[in-house]
Amino acid sequence: MAMAQRRRFDAESIGRAGALIATCTLVLTATFLGLVALVSGEAVGLSDRLPAYVLGMATAFVGAVLIAETQGLDGRTVIGGAGVVALVTLVVLTLGGEGLLHAVRNPGALVTSHLLFYFLAAGMIATGVGYWAINHWQELSVRPKTGFGR
């Protein structure tokens, strides 16, 4: 059974980790707020902003292809990975952008309903789970069984 390697944090790595956690939490919170805006029908003018979100997706796609090509990966992995990056980017940009607009347009409603605080908490939890999953993905991967009964 593989054990996770323990890391020691110095002041610099704690600062980087804190910045990453804060950024991921805020992005996830904005994404959750964007989902609320879309579901509630308060994402007025989305069709005007959609081309910017699609341009961001295309930029992420090309960037992912270029970065993956430098890693010496096979073509199928490169294009598949870039497609996943593009799709995730489109979802995050669209929901995050709409979430930020929703927060700017309705700040009082978000605070009085405590929705913002719940989404911040959910964003922090999702960030922690994501960090854990990245550090333990090999333990989570499905390994093919060899032979019968093993």
Side-chain angles (χ1 to χ4, degrees):
M1 178 183 273
M3 295 283 292
Q5 189 177 21
R6 300 277 184 218
R7 295 188 179 135
R8 294 196 177 198
F9 290 107
D10 57 11
E12 182 181 337
S13 59
I14 288 173
R16 281 192 309 239
L20 180 64
I21 290 167
T23 301
C24 290
T25 298
L26 292 175
V27 167
L28 287 167
T29 301
T31 302
F32 296 150
L33 289 172
L35 188 60
V36 168
L38 287 176
V39 169
S40 67
E42 295 181 25
V44 179
L46 172 62
S47 61
D48 296 334
R49 293 180 295 279
L50 193 58
Y53 300 147
V54 171
L55 180 60
M57 174 201 66
T59 303
F61 177 80
V62 171
V65 167
L66 293 175
I67 290 169
E69 283 290 333
T70 65
Q71 303 301 312
L73 302 171
D74 65 283
R76 180 178 266 166
T77 303
V78 169
I79 202 70
V84 169
V85 166
L87 182 62
V88 169
T89 299
L90 180 62
V91 169
V92 170
L93 284 177
T94 302
L95 292 179
E98 296 307 305
L100 289 174
L101 283 173
H102 184 62
V104 168
R105 291 177 181 161
N106 306 308
L110 293 175
V111 173
T112 57
S113 70
H114 303 292
L115 192 61
L116 182 61
F117 301 106
Y118 289 121
F119 284 162
L120 274 169
M124 286 186 81
I125 290 168
T127 299
V129 169
Y131 180 83
W132 173 81
I134 287 169
N135 284 306
H136 297 277
W137 69 271
Q138 290 175 328
E139 297 169 35
L140 299 172
S141 65
V142 177
R143 295 188 177 113
K145 294 181 180 180
T146 56
F148 293 103
R150 288 190 197 175

